[in-house]
Amino acid sequence: MKLDSLPIGREAVITAVGGQGALRCRLLDMGLIPKTAVRVEKIAPLGDPLELHVRGYSLSLRKEDARNIEVEVRP
């Protein structure tokens, strides 16, 4: 499942970070690395950006960028 389709309040674990070049480096620098837990806190009224909870902090991420992150939903 892609991070952009994760429902609000659900927690998942990042399994892969896609993208190329600067985008991939930027995502990894923000702490979005494999085996990291991530939770969608809010979605903006028009659907973009997403507010995520990662590693103890809140992170806003565009839906387009979230599409590059593969996650596995926790039971």
Side-chain angles (χ1 to χ4, degrees), residues 27-73:
L27 294 172
L28 294 170
D29 288 345
M30 288 188 287
L32 298 168
I33 60 173
K35 299 182 183 175
T36 301
V38 61
R39 182 175 64 239
V40 176
E41 293 290 331
K42 299 177 192 171
I43 299 176
L46 296 176
D48 197 24
L50 309 172
E51 184 181 322
L52 309 172
H53 182 79
V54 179
R55 297 180 174 263
Y57 71 95
S58 294
L59 172 69
S60 291
L61 190 66
R62 293 182 301 178
K63 216 170 191 179
E64 178 183 334
D65 295 338
R67 245 177 240 123
N68 291 305
I69 300 169
E70 189 75 32
V71 296
E72 184 178 298
V73 178

